[in-house]
Amino acid sequence: MKINLTINGVDSTFEADPDMPLLWLIRDEAKLKGTKFGCGMALCGACSAHVDGELVRTCSYSAQMAHGKKITTIEGLSGGANRLHPIQQAWLDVGVPQCGYCQSGFMMAAAHLLEENSNPTEDDLKNSITNICRCGTHPRILKAILLAAKLQSNGTSK
Ligand code: FES
Ligand code: FES
């Protein structure tokens, strides 16, 4: 099946099995490697991206469902070269990552959360961000999201 979609602002067409996970289109066809494969079962969040503004676990979202949609991956989060999304700035400021594998998924989930709730509480974060980090960086992630909310409200944003 021909799949037409826009990835990070670039119109793209791929020939793909309609049931293939969107994750493989992103990684293997579009060659955007920031979106990771972890569990393959919509549990860990490593594969998170935005599809028409919604947070999606792309390992469990088919190519045909993505047809005609706008995809944003970690590579397109800031909206342009030499810019950082407040989430990315806060991640740097806090020094969040350890091995880094889960981090793009967390950042995509966090950026989506801030779009829906610009002033989240720590409880909001604990209830909304269900990604898994095997390195245990969750405390720094919470700190970074709260900082990103401040950066965003101060206009230090994308
Ligand atoms: S790889 Fe998709 S949620 Fe774990
Ligand atoms: S930083 Fe290693 S899995 Fe999260």
Side-chain angles (χ1 to χ4, degrees):
M1 172 184 178
K2 213 163 243 175
I3 310 284
N4 298 315
L5 38 75
T6 305
I7 304 185
N8 300 333
V10 178
D11 292 336
S12 307
T13 300
F14 303 107
E15 191 64 44
D17 182 324
D19 294 327
M20 185 171 85
L22 172 59
L23 176 59
W24 304 132
L25 272 186
I26 292 171
R27 287 184 57 84
D28 295 343
E29 303 299 331
K31 310 291 185 200
L32 296 166
K33 304 293 188 181
T35 309
K36 304 297 189 196
F37 174 78
C39 64
M41 298 170 68
L43 297 172
C44 73
C47 63
S48 298
H50 300 172
V51 177
D52 277 354
E54 294 301 317
L55 182 64
V56 163
R57 294 190 170 180
T58 60
C59 68
S60 303
Y61 191 93
S62 69
Q64 64 183 327
M65 285 170 71
H67 179 65
K69 297 193 170 147
K70 287 188 169 54
I71 317 298
T72 303
T73 69
I74 188 69
E75 291 89 347
L77 182 63
S78 71
N82 305 317
R83 308 170 67 179
L84 290 177
H85 187 282
I87 284 289
Q88 294 170 312
Q89 185 63 60
W91 244 247
L92 281 173
D93 291 351
V94 173
V96 174
Q98 191 160 315
C99 81
Y101 198 84
C102 68
Q103 298 290 314
S104 64
F106 268 102
M107 285 193 274
M108 296 309 287
H112 183 259
L113 172 76
L114 288 188
E115 275 168 26
E116 303 213 313
N117 178 359
S118 59
N119 189 23
T121 64
E122 204 164 314
D123 279 346
D124 292 336
L125 302 184
K126 285 179 182 162
N127 292 331
S128 307
I129 307 281
T130 58
N131 297 38
I132 294 170
C133 173
R134 63 193 168 186
C135 298
T137 63
H138 295 89
R140 294 200 295 275
I141 286 169
L142 295 186
K143 195 172 165 189
I145 300 173
L146 294 173
L147 173 60
K150 276 191 200 144
L151 295 176
Q152 189 168 264
S153 72
N154 292 343
T156 319
S157 61
K158 54 184 172 176

